[in-house]
Coordinates of all heavy atoms in Angstrom, one line a residue:
D50 N -16.2 7.0 -2.4 CA -15.5 6.0 -3.2 C -15.1 4.7 -2.4 O -15.3 3.6 -2.8 CB -14.3 6.5 -3.9 CG -14.7 7.6 -4.9 OD1 -15.8 7.6 -5.4 OD2 -13.8 8.4 -5.2
A51 N -14.6 5.0 -1.2 CA -14.2 3.9 -0.3 C -15.4 3.0 0.1 O -15.3 1.8 0.1 CB -13.5 4.4 0.9
R52 N -16.5 3.7 0.4 CA -17.7 3.0 0.8 C -18.2 2.1 -0.3 O -18.5 0.9 -0.1 CB -18.8 3.9 1.3 CG -20.0 3.2 1.8 CD -21.2 4.2 2.1 NE -21.4 5.1 1.0 CZ -22.0 4.7 -0.1 NH1 -22.4 3.5 -0.4 NH2 -22.2 5.6 -1.1
R53 N -18.2 2.7 -1.5 CA -18.7 1.9 -2.7 C -17.8 0.7 -3.0 O -18.3 -0.4 -3.2 CB -18.8 2.8 -3.9 CG -20.0 3.7 -4.0 CD -20.2 4.3 -5.3 NE -19.2 5.4 -5.6 CZ -19.4 6.6 -5.2 NH1 -20.4 7.0 -4.5 NH2 -18.4 7.5 -5.5
L54 N -16.5 0.9 -2.9 CA -15.6 -0.2 -3.2 C -15.7 -1.3 -2.1 O -15.7 -2.5 -2.4 CB -14.2 0.3 -3.3 CG -13.1 -0.8 -3.6 CD1 -13.5 -1.5 -4.9 CD2 -11.8 -0.1 -3.8
A55 N -15.8 -0.8 -0.8 CA -16.0 -1.8 0.3 C -17.3 -2.6 0.1 O -17.3 -3.8 0.3 CB -15.9 -1.1 1.6
H56 N -18.3 -1.9 -0.3 CA -19.6 -2.6 -0.5 C -19.5 -3.6 -1.7 O -20.0 -4.8 -1.6 CB -20.7 -1.6 -0.9 CG -22.0 -2.2 -1.0 ND1 -22.8 -2.6 0.0 CD2 -22.7 -2.5 -2.2 CE1 -23.9 -3.1 -0.5 NE2 -23.9 -3.1 -1.8
L57 N -18.8 -3.2 -2.8 CA -18.6 -4.1 -3.9 C -17.8 -5.3 -3.4 O -18.1 -6.5 -3.7 CB -17.9 -3.4 -5.0 CG -17.5 -4.2 -6.2 CD1 -18.7 -4.4 -7.1 CD2 -16.5 -3.4 -7.0
L58 N -16.7 -5.1 -2.7 CA -15.9 -6.2 -2.2 C -16.7 -7.1 -1.3 O -16.5 -8.3 -1.3 CB -14.7 -5.6 -1.5 CG -13.7 -6.5 -0.9 CD1 -13.0 -7.4 -2.0 CD2 -12.6 -5.8 -0.1
R59 N -17.5 -6.5 -0.4 CA -18.3 -7.3 0.5 C -19.2 -8.2 -0.3 O -19.3 -9.4 0.1 CB -19.1 -6.3 1.4 CG -20.1 -7.0 2.3 CD -20.9 -6.0 3.0 NE -22.1 -6.5 3.6 CZ -23.1 -5.8 4.1 NH1 -23.0 -4.5 4.1 NH2 -24.1 -6.3 4.5
G60 N -19.9 -7.7 -1.3 CA -20.7 -8.6 -2.1 C -20.0 -9.7 -2.8 O -20.4 -10.9 -2.7
F61 N -18.9 -9.3 -3.5 CA -18.2 -10.4 -4.2 C -17.6 -11.4 -3.2 O -17.8 -12.6 -3.5 CB -17.0 -9.8 -5.0 CG -17.3 -9.1 -6.3 CD1 -16.8 -7.9 -6.6 CD2 -18.2 -9.7 -7.2 CE1 -17.1 -7.3 -7.8 CE2 -18.5 -9.1 -8.4 CZ -18.0 -7.9 -8.7
A62 N -17.0 -11.0 -2.1 CA -16.4 -11.9 -1.2 C -17.5 -12.8 -0.6 O -17.3 -14.0 -0.4 CB -15.7 -11.1 -0.1

Side-chain angles (χ1 to χ4, degrees):
D50 291 338
R52 184 189 48 76
R53 279 192 290 274
L54 182 55
H56 182 77
L57 179 75
L58 182 60
R59 174 182 161 192
F61 281 135

